[in-house]
Amino acid sequence: MRCLRALLLLTLLATPARAQVVINELMASNQRTVADPDFGDYSDWLELHNAGTLPADLGGYFLTDDLEEHDKWRVPDGTVLAPGAYLVIWADDRDEGLHTSFKLSANGEEVGLFTPAGQPVDALTFGSQTTDVSYGRSPDGGTALRFFAVPTPGSANDTVPADGVAEPPAVSLQTGVYAGPQTVTMSTALPGATIRYTLNGRPPTDTSAVYEAPLTFAETGVLRTAVFRSDVVPSTVVTATYLINEAPTLPIVSLVTDPAHFFSDDTGIYVDGASGPARSCWDERVNWNQDWERPVHATLIEPDGRVGFALDLGVKIHGGCSRTQPQKSLALYARRQYGPSKIDYQVFPDQPGDEFESLVLRNSGQDWRSTMMRDGVAQAAAGGDLDQQAYRPTVVFINGAYWGLHNLREKLNEHYVEAHHGVDHDDVELVEAGGSDPRTRSEHYDALLAYLEVNDVVAPEHYAYVQTQIDTEAYLDYVIAEIYSANADWPSNNVKQWRPRTPDGRWRWMFYDLDFGFGGSPNGQFDSNTLAQATAPDGPSWPNPPWATYLLRRLLGNADFRATFIQRMAARISTTYAPERGVGLIDSLQAHIADEIPRHKARWPGSVALGPSWDSQVEVLRRFARKRPEAMRGHVTAHFGLAGTTHLDLDAGAGGGQVYAAGVPLPRGASAPVFFRDVPLQLVAVPDQGYVFKGWQGLVTSTEDTLSVTLVESATLTATFARDTASPEQARPSARPTLSQNYPNPFRDRTQIEIEHAVAGPLTVTVFDLLGRQVATLVDEVRPAGTHSFDYDAAELRSGVYVYVMEAEGFRAARHMVVVR
């Protein structure tokens, strides 16, 4: 870097004064200063200035925000800068026209201009930036760098410059939930400075109201305030939300922004307005169909009043046809131009991730008029190795106004993959709609399809190759979950698949947008034959054209895959999709949001408006959960011409190990799962750490841990495990703590939770409901290494789904358990 700067200095000294182009001004956090004329976004920008006397042809030159990577973005051919002229270039990551392939960081970085040959022309280093304040040369083309509270993109830097930035004001009352009116005072230590504020969400300017006396908030409202003095740049804006006489039972997300960003006919993202493309199920040009991003201050407040995060973020309207609903879905983005590039908080208590690049406040999509929870139920009900969205019902306020119930979700993108699988987001290949869209085609996936065209997977070697290209275990769980959910808007829609860009990277599928399933559409009922839909060779263009069913149809041609698919379906129906588990889940989620539904409906009369009542619509979900399993068994039996089903009375013991059927873990202890007759079923006995498998008895007598059995009638089988006393080395706890699934699960009053603690040290086991509220602490103390079992008495909990979380040795793990009354 030192050598590069020296070369830059020599280049500048050698550049003729007749044509000297410099980076003259920039803005790394543009919230309301100027919108670009091409897309209407308030994006980062930088300004080039020709301080010489001859025109400068910049075509083929490069701009970069990484001086070690000089050719990051190429200036378009034909870009000529006249003597004394100014050129604004938008740093918005769009990489088209005068829009670069990178954004600027509000935390500070370096930008540089290079010749086509890679020779440096100019560079500018900047530190932390203030929103809507530019940074540049004063005078134009000079060496002194100053701040400009009144930026001048595209013209001379002739407004009053400043050398510093004021410190933000001290505010006496922080964001929170309060009973009764509250008084707020503000102060500044800067002599001669003025505190200005707004109460409507707009960031304060030098014309905003002056703070002269304490403010009283008698009802829910927002405060935005900053410090001003003529010779310094105004301070950053302090934002607070005061929730007065609210009694939240759900998490709250407060969004504070300039009202024009949401509601202006010209620039507002939430209104019809007069801009934007005609798409997403709407034939007219409307603002909410435009891909506009606006700045917003977002605060998450937990049900107990704690502030989870408070950050400046970007916000867009989210979703497809669901945009047509009066209440819109919103996507939040952490980006460098606003502040931190990550939301550093454990938003979802039942998930391990505590960093998010983006979040979604979903309006429940096509379910908006029905239950406000259908997709959350469908995804929470699904089991197995799935990439799916976490879910928290949440109440939203916009500029202090109640905005109703939303579903807080993860966004399924390359950053999700990075958080959940440890694959760098730049190394993720992500394809939508199964690769059918030419704009998102994948050479790798196309090559797999081409292979299947000429190689029949009936042959073991060809199926083995496919297994190197697809994570077949995860694919099975994905397809089974879609079929169980009766997703009528699949398999040609709502499809995302990804793989690491590595030689051995395998495809996985993402499970999302189940609004047309679980009883949510005419073809998404409990008796809908989604298996036939997923395997039809000649379906219509929507929802199941031949290309969308091709992969599953080809794989079912392999006997091993077909048998695993059939019996894995059976195992999931008996465990994951058992009626009591599904009904318990629905009861739990309904109870969480029931108190909020009347206020939500008063705010949005068209929401939860189908049928005679909201309760009647939720009952549709329960009916689906009760009746879907048996309907699925019938569909599988008919589709594959099977002889029906039978029970396997299995006793796996209450501890010491786990039995897996077709890859699905079966309940510990005694159970009677239902499997299909005359289809091979693989059973695997896996001992816990410190145990050994002793053998099978009953239907089969064997000491082999893996069996293949074919059931023709009901049978009994026992798997026996014992402590491993012969090999102390094997009996040691695992290298990191492990958290086992509680058993029994579901349960009525009592259940057991087992943990392997690798080394002596602090161990915490805590139980939460799905809203993130702590309901019990099972242990919080130093424990020795070894196996620890906890008998949990949940008699005081109501029916529903709960999360138990283990924290030990810097490791965190969580699992779900279901209480059934």
Side-chain angles (χ1 to χ4, degrees), residues 208-243:
S208 298
V210 175
Y211 171 73
E212 296 177 323
L215 304 177
T216 298
F217 287 81
E219 58 186 20
T220 295
V222 299
L223 170 68
R224 307 198 83 177
T225 180
V227 171
F228 293 80
R229 199 174 74 179
S230 61
D231 60 338
V232 296
V233 171
S235 72
T236 55
V237 175
V238 175
T239 302
T241 298
Y242 305 121
L243 298 158

Side-chain angles (χ1 to χ4, degrees), residues 15 117 127 193 201 272 360 436 538-539 553 563 569 611 613 619 646 659 694 715 813:
T15 300
D272 289 353
V360 175
S436 66
D538 55 357
R553 285 188 285 114
M569 178 84 78
S613 67
E619 189 57 35
T646 189
V659 173
K694 300 297 291 185

Side-chain angles (χ1 to χ4, degrees), residues 47 102 120 140 199 254 262 303 484 544 577 609 681 710 734 757 821:
E47 174 194 82
F102 58 85
D140 291 329
L199 302 176
S254 171
F262 270 45
Y484 166 78
N544 59 334
Y577 303 128
L681 168 66
T710 301
S734 58
H757 199 196
R821 298 292 182 216

Side-chain angles (χ1 to χ4, degrees), residues 367-645:
D367 178 58
W368 183 75
R369 299 183 65 229
S370 183
T371 74
M372 288 298 294
M373 56 186 270
R374 178 167 269 106
D375 185 67
V377 166
Q379 293 211 38
D385 187 12
L386 291 176
D387 289 319
Q388 61 191 107
Q389 297 170 291
Y391 161 74
R392 284 185 87 183
T394 304
V395 171
V396 171
F397 286 79
I398 296 180
N399 289 341
Y402 177 79
W403 220 253
L405 185 65
H406 293 66
N407 296 328
L408 183 59
R409 315 299 296 269
E410 292 177 275
K411 204 168 191 300
L412 291 177
N413 55 21
E414 63 276 12
H415 296 280
Y416 169 95
V417 174
E418 182 175 53
H420 288 261
H421 295 277
V423 180
D424 188 281
H425 64 270
D426 288 330
D427 297 326
V428 175
E429 182 174 6
L430 183 65
V431 177
E432 296 193 39
S436 66
D437 188 334
R439 295 169 300 176
T440 56
R441 291 297 291 244
S442 161
E443 292 183 5
H444 185 280
Y445 190 64
D446 283 350
L448 171 61
L449 297 179
Y451 181 89
L452 289 172
E453 286 284 351
V454 297
N455 295 285
D456 196 334
V457 293
V458 169
E461 64 271 20
H462 296 319
Y463 178 57
Y465 172 76
V466 172
Q467 289 180 297
T468 68
Q469 307 299 296
I470 292 174
D471 185 336
T472 51
E473 291 283 307
Y475 180 69
L476 281 163
D477 279 335
Y478 164 73
V479 172
I480 290 169
E482 292 279 6
I483 291 173
Y484 166 78
S485 302
N487 188 358
D489 197 13
W490 176 84
S492 68
N493 197 29
N494 296 322
V495 177
K496 289 185 181 182
Q497 60 197 74
W498 70 271
R499 62 178 288 273
R501 294 183 187 274
T502 58
D504 58 350
R506 299 189 297 167
W507 289 103
R508 291 175 59 96
W509 278 255
M510 293 174 164
F511 184 63
Y512 71 106
D513 204 342
L514 285 302
D515 299 328
F516 277 18
F518 243 89
S521 67
N523 293 325
Q525 300 300 307
F526 76 85
D527 56 354
S528 296
N529 193 340
T530 319
L531 173 59
Q533 176 177 304
T535 54
D538 55 357
S541 59
W542 178 88
N544 59 334
W547 68 261
T549 64
Y550 178 77
L551 179 61
L552 180 58
R553 285 188 285 114
R554 293 291 283 175
L555 290 177
L556 286 172
N558 178 270
D560 288 343
F561 181 90
R562 183 170 61 252
T564 303
F565 174 81
I566 291 170
Q567 297 293 34
R568 196 181 187 100
M569 178 84 78
R572 287 288 176 207
I573 294 172
S574 289
T575 57
T576 307
Y577 303 128
E580 63 271 18
R581 180 177 181 273
V583 171
L585 173 69
I586 294 163
D587 289 347
S588 179
L589 296 184
Q590 181 185 23
H592 288 326
I593 66 174
D595 290 344
E596 198 64 39
I597 289 296
R599 189 180 185 188
H600 170 83
K601 185 169 178 57
R603 175 62 183 85
W604 303 105
S607 186
V608 294
L610 288 181
S613 67
W614 177 65
D615 287 331
S616 70
Q617 289 302 301
V618 176
E619 189 57 35
V620 172
L621 301 178
R622 286 195 191 87
R623 185 166 182 255
F624 185 96
R626 292 188 186 105
K627 292 180 173 292
R628 183 61 174 169
E630 197 56 40
M632 288 177 67
R633 291 188 178 108
H635 296 156
V636 173
T637 297
H639 185 84
F640 293 103
L642 305 180
T645 60

